[in-house]
Amino acid sequence: MRRINFNIIIFLCFTVLMGVSVQDAHAQFWKKKKKKQETQETTSTPEKKKNKFEKLLEKSTLQQAKGGFVNLYRDGDKIYVEYPLEYIGREILMAGTISSVSDPQYLNVGFKYNDPLHLRVDLQDSTIILRQPNMLIMRNAPEEAEEAIRKNYTDKEFLRIPMYSYNADSTGIVFDVTDLFKAKEFTPITSSGPIMITSGKSGKQYFGTMKSFDDNASILLYQDVDVSINLFMFSFKLGSVSTASTVSMLLLPKEKMKARIQDSRIGVFPTFGHELLTLPKLEISQTEDGIRSFILANRWRLEPKDVEAWKRGELVEPVKPIVWYVDNTFPEEWKPAIHRAVLRWNPAFEKIGLKNVMQVRDFPLNDSTFDPDNLKYSCIRYSPSPVANAMGPSWVDPTTGEILNASVIVYNDIVKLNNFWRFIQTAQIDPRVRCKKMPKEVMDESIEYVIAHEIGHTLGLMHNMAASNAFPVDSLRSATFTQKYGTTPSIMDYARYNYVAQPGDEGVKLTPPSLGVYDEYAICWLYTPVPDAKDMWEESQIAERIIDEHANDLYYRYGRQQLEYRYDPSALEEDLGDDPIKAGSYGVKNLKYILAHVNEWIQDDEDASHRTLLYSEIVGQYFRYLSNVIHQIGGIRLSQVKENTSDMLPVEPLARDVQKASLNWVLREVRNCTWINAPELTKNFGLATSSSSKIATEVAQALLTTIPAHVTLANHVANGKNAYSAREYFNDLYAGVFAPTIQGKKLTLEDKILQNAIITVVAKAVENAGKPVSSFVGDQYMLNKTDMLPSLYEMQTYGLLPRNLFFGELGAKLKMLEAKHGKGCIAGAYFADGFGKDANPFQGEVSIKNINEIPFYQYEICKKIYALLKSKAATAHQDDRAHYEYLLLGLKQRLEK
């Protein structure tokens, strides 16, 4: 029932009495009512006030960068981010990458001096909290254990930022990220280590270009830094460097890739469970008794577009291929080789049913949407720097190991390094390389190999230094064999070019293969889809079968990474073949041949600068041959072995006769290495001591410090079976070093260096007689220090060590741990040393403190040397008497103390 408005009735009656029509009265009533309502609305609903963000947008000087993830705003020195509420609780990665530098000697373009920081963005009341998710634990526990897990594995808070404002439609929050983007974690500042990089005197940092994309955003951060070097207790300033870092924020996928658990029998970069230390991830479940530990393998998310067609054995394209963009600043003649290097890997993917996985394009010139700083593009970048190197850093989701973005940085002087490698390793057989500048076809081969190797790293593959040891040395002189296999089963090895091939070996391939059999096998294990597995543990068991099938084949053997501690002579870089003595002997013959012809082959070198560098590389190559053999003395072959799948042993000391033969070969070489001085070549090089004297010194140091400890360990592991004891080693060393004295021959300079070195070391045993043995175990000596070992820089680049391992607070903590628990404690304390899903990917130190008898035999040899010199000094050649008398005096003072 409609409600009657008595006010209207009364008003109408009144107007009739006054002579006004009902129609006019009705209109007049509603007009007044409407006016009254408008007046009320005007007074009761004031104009909406603009919030702080809307006022910020009105500034004419405001700079903006808008994208699909976040929007960035710059107001003077302040940077604000507009962060959508839909991404609250999502995980991001943040890192700083060097984009430009005024001096590339100290900082490298393309390098991240700290690992990407893993964060989650949370909102609590009006505060943004950036937390570092706890990646140590995988939450797969029974429901009743969840509360205990939450309390014992909490996330770490990184930063709190007060909210500045909501955005205009309240779909996002705005906060000040100025200090966040300037954080030390994203800049190249390092507070400790041999090279210190600190803020410049002004400490000033300022921002440059901002960019925002679909799932990432970045801003340039400029700053000057001071560079110093630490030498013992002193620090020397080297100068200041201007830098620009691209600080990026990347949104991690909401739908996570299925992780693949690492298998220690294959070399794949690992994702650990800790943001700084190399600790395995943990799983609490009732599947096994105790907590399960494991490491994840890094890999791209490659899923077949048509799974059913793939299951039928058809070649199928991936949902998302890996597309590489080649920098348009590369020298034009390099680009075809770079393109071929990327596409080299497609045949390996085709063998697992995936086609067109690897794609390569030049930088688009007329595409406004393309930007190499956008992390959705993986780029091969050119750096016009004198660095003779290349590297392949990547961004990885730490929750799954998914590779999200990668880069290959190629420095200009990689061509110079290739030039030297080709000359010193193949000039004996390849007339094309007997020149100052390599011909194009040779340089193309070399560039393609280097880029293909780096692309392998970006696909997740670590170095496999054991690969080349699978080939018999003499097979490397066979045209049939080398044309099929090249120099190694893996281009991820450091097996460069065929230095074994002799002049006259026709048709022999001198380069590594396009892809080795190990490379294809590694791709097969890492990327073969397992769509029907119920979880990552079942997937791991299925994928393991690929490795089980090849567990007895040396072509598929992986050698654990040896960085500082080197026990396995079969897993060294820069070697070829299964017999270092035979390979080294071939290599020495070739170096003698090359040295004799350098002046003839290199004509356009009036200032001798190129030949000087070549000669230095030849000396280094010779020392590599020596050190490869030295590592066999006390060598222990280490293999990752799963029970009941392989006849190989996890730990296998080299046979006694192999170790003895290695010592004899090295001593014979050093006593007869004056040929390396090449006086006809070096006479115009300038003032320097002879190379043979330097080599003798280096070899003597190695034979008397590192090697005795290795012999002791190998003898202990052999447990009397074909063992080479420390006592026998020192007797052999004595007999070899003092053979000219025993035979009454005149000593060479190299003889004197070896004799002086052995006495310097063994005399310490006399000085320390009566003290506990463990107190005078000799320090480790870094063998191969003139060799091309992976530098700290390379180790960090490829993920072998955290990039900030030796810097800042973490560096101090590591030093404290090592002081308390001994060197290598970080690498070895938290991992199983043998086969396993949590096995340490790096070989740590094995202490011999509890089995060390080295000082006993040093003391014994000391007395034998004293007796020998006493009997021979008077009748020795007159040029040697002063040498003998000096050594005798030193020994007598110690023995009669």
Side-chain angles (χ1 to χ4, degrees), residues 586-753:
Y586 281 134
V588 169
K589 287 176 66 176
N590 288 334
L591 289 183
K592 289 179 179 178
Y593 180 83
I594 292 169
L595 268 179
H597 291 85
V598 170
N599 282 332
E600 172 191 341
W601 293 339
I602 308 297
Q603 295 288 329
D604 53 340
D605 186 38
E606 293 181 0
D607 63 356
S609 59
H610 187 75
R611 282 172 291 163
T612 301
L613 292 172
L614 270 179
Y615 175 71
S616 175
E617 293 291 331
I618 289 171
V619 173
Q621 186 73 16
Y622 177 53
F623 189 76
R624 279 193 282 274
Y625 298 151
L626 295 173
S627 63
N628 290 341
V629 177
I630 289 173
H631 279 294
Q632 291 204 123
I633 310 168
I636 304 172
R637 191 180 181 92
L638 302 173
S639 302
Q640 298 295 290
V641 178
K642 179 182 174 183
E643 194 172 354
N644 300 321
T645 63
S646 175
D647 296 332
M648 285 187 278
L649 297 174
V651 178
E652 188 174 9
L654 267 61
R656 171 178 173 271
D657 59 343
V658 172
Q659 296 186 56
K660 288 172 70 73
S662 298
L663 176 61
N664 290 335
W665 187 87
V666 169
L667 291 176
R668 185 168 61 251
E669 277 294 327
V670 172
R671 285 201 303 266
N672 296 282
C673 72
T674 53
W675 60 270
I676 196 68
N677 297 327
E680 285 302 310
L681 173 62
T682 61
K683 62 184 178 183
N684 295 320
F685 284 3
L687 182 64
T689 56
S690 67
S691 295
S692 61
S693 65
K694 295 173 185 175
I695 287 172
T697 301
E698 294 292 325
V699 169
Q701 287 284 338
L703 292 176
L704 291 159
T705 52
T706 303
I707 299 306
H710 287 193
V711 170
T712 298
L713 181 60
N715 176 64
H716 177 76
V717 173
N719 197 25
K721 298 176 182 177
N722 203 12
Y724 188 44
S725 69
R727 181 174 192 173
E728 187 175 7
Y729 168 73
F730 275 108
N731 282 330
D732 288 346
L733 188 61
Y734 162 80
V737 170
F738 289 93
T741 305
I742 295 170
Q743 297 164 9
K745 293 181 178 179
K746 185 178 183 300
L747 301 181
T748 65
L749 173 61
E750 292 69 35
D751 289 330
K752 291 178 181 179
I753 290 172

Side-chain angles (χ1 to χ4, degrees), residues 118-367:
H118 180 211
L119 299 170
R120 187 181 65 248
V121 182
D122 291 334
L123 179 62
Q124 182 177 310
D125 298 326
S126 59
T127 300
I128 294 87
I129 305 175
L130 298 177
R131 291 188 171 96
Q132 292 177 268
N134 193 320
M135 299 311 301
L136 191 59
I137 191 72
M138 174 169 279
R139 288 167 169 81
N140 191 27
E143 190 175 335
E144 59 270 18
E146 283 298 324
E147 183 179 353
I149 290 174
R150 283 195 299 271
K151 290 180 178 178
N152 287 277
Y153 296 95
T154 59
D155 298 333
K156 188 166 70 174
E157 190 172 298
F158 177 71
L159 186 65
R160 284 177 174 253
I161 305 174
M163 187 172 74
Y164 177 75
S165 172
Y166 280 99
N167 62 3
D169 59 4
S170 298
T171 60
I173 53 175
V174 181
F175 52 98
D176 184 341
V177 290
T178 307
D179 292 338
L180 172 65
F181 277 87
K182 288 183 177 181
K184 67 178 190 290
E185 285 82 0
F186 311 136
T187 65
I189 294 173
T190 56
S191 59
S192 63
I195 298 291
M196 285 178 43
I197 302 171
T198 53
S199 295
K201 286 183 178 178
S202 66
K204 186 175 181 181
Q205 297 171 304
Y206 62 94
F207 293 110
T209 306
M210 302 182 300
K211 297 180 180 180
S212 188
F213 309 103
D214 289 343
D215 63 357
N216 68 95
S218 64
I219 186 168
L220 271 178
L221 176 66
Y222 293 91
Q223 65 184 135
D224 284 353
V225 295
D226 291 334
V227 182
S228 303
I229 185 168
N230 285 330
L231 295 175
F232 305 105
M233 297 173 62
F234 304 98
S235 177
F236 302 94
K237 185 175 178 180
L238 299 177
S240 63
V241 177
S242 295
T243 72
S245 297
T246 296
V247 182
S248 298
M249 176 186 291
L250 172 68
L251 181 68
L252 289 178
K254 186 175 184 179
E255 299 298 324
K256 298 288 187 178
M257 178 190 77
K258 186 187 293 184
R260 181 153 298 180
I261 298 174
Q262 179 68 290
D263 190 308
S264 63
R265 295 174 293 171
I266 202 161
V268 175
F269 285 126
T271 289
F272 298 108
H274 194 280
E275 74 272 15
L276 294 176
L277 299 178
T278 50
L279 305 179
K281 292 177 180 286
L282 307 173
E283 185 197 50
I284 299 175
S285 71
Q286 296 304 304
T287 306
E288 294 182 2
D289 291 335
I291 294 176
R292 285 198 285 190
S293 56
F294 60 95
I295 303 168
L296 298 180
N298 290 0
R299 60 182 186 146
W300 294 84
R301 189 174 195 160
L302 294 179
E303 299 163 336
K305 275 185 179 178
D306 186 336
V307 175
E308 295 306 314
W310 177 83
K311 288 180 178 179
R312 292 193 300 268
E314 298 176 24
L315 272 177
V316 176
E317 290 191 342
V319 174
K320 186 178 180 182
I322 304 170
V323 182
W324 286 95
Y325 291 84
V326 179
D327 200 331
N328 54 15
T329 64
F330 270 110
E332 198 62 36
E333 60 267 27
W334 292 19
K335 290 182 181 178
I338 294 173
H339 279 246
R340 291 194 300 269
V342 174
L343 298 177
R344 263 194 196 192
W345 288 91
N346 270 335
F349 288 105
E350 288 169 4
K351 290 188 175 182
I352 61 171
L354 299 174
K355 65 180 180 180
N356 299 325
V357 169
M358 304 296 290
Q359 300 179 18
V360 59
R361 304 163 191 168
D362 289 328
F363 275 14
L365 297 179
N366 299 308
D367 183 355

Side-chain angles (χ1 to χ4, degrees), residues 819-830:
K820 186 175 181 180
H821 300 291
K823 294 180 79 174
C825 67
I826 300 302
Y830 304 105

Side-chain angles (χ1 to χ4, degrees), residues 344 418 420-434 438-439 441-442 445-446 449 471 475-488 491 494-514 575-576 590 594 621:
R344 263 194 196 192
N418 272 320
F420 291 142
W421 282 342
R422 288 303 296 260
F423 186 93
I424 65 177
Q425 294 175 11
T426 66
Q428 77 281 0
I429 194 173
D430 188 355
R432 297 177 303 166
V433 304
R434 297 170 182 171
M438 295 293 123
E441 66 270 21
V442 173
E445 286 177 355
S446 302
Y449 159 60
F471 289 170
S475 294
L476 298 172
R477 298 186 61 189
S478 162
T480 304
F481 183 89
T482 55
Q483 288 299 330
K484 182 177 181 181
Y485 293 110
T487 57
T488 173
I491 65 169
Y494 275 5
R496 309 300 185 183
Y497 302 104
N498 195 341
Y499 63 75
V500 167
Q502 298 293 293
D505 290 347
E506 296 183 3
V508 174
K509 185 176 175 63
L510 303 176
T511 59
S514 178
D575 64 344
L576 289 178
N590 288 334
I594 292 169
Q621 186 73 16

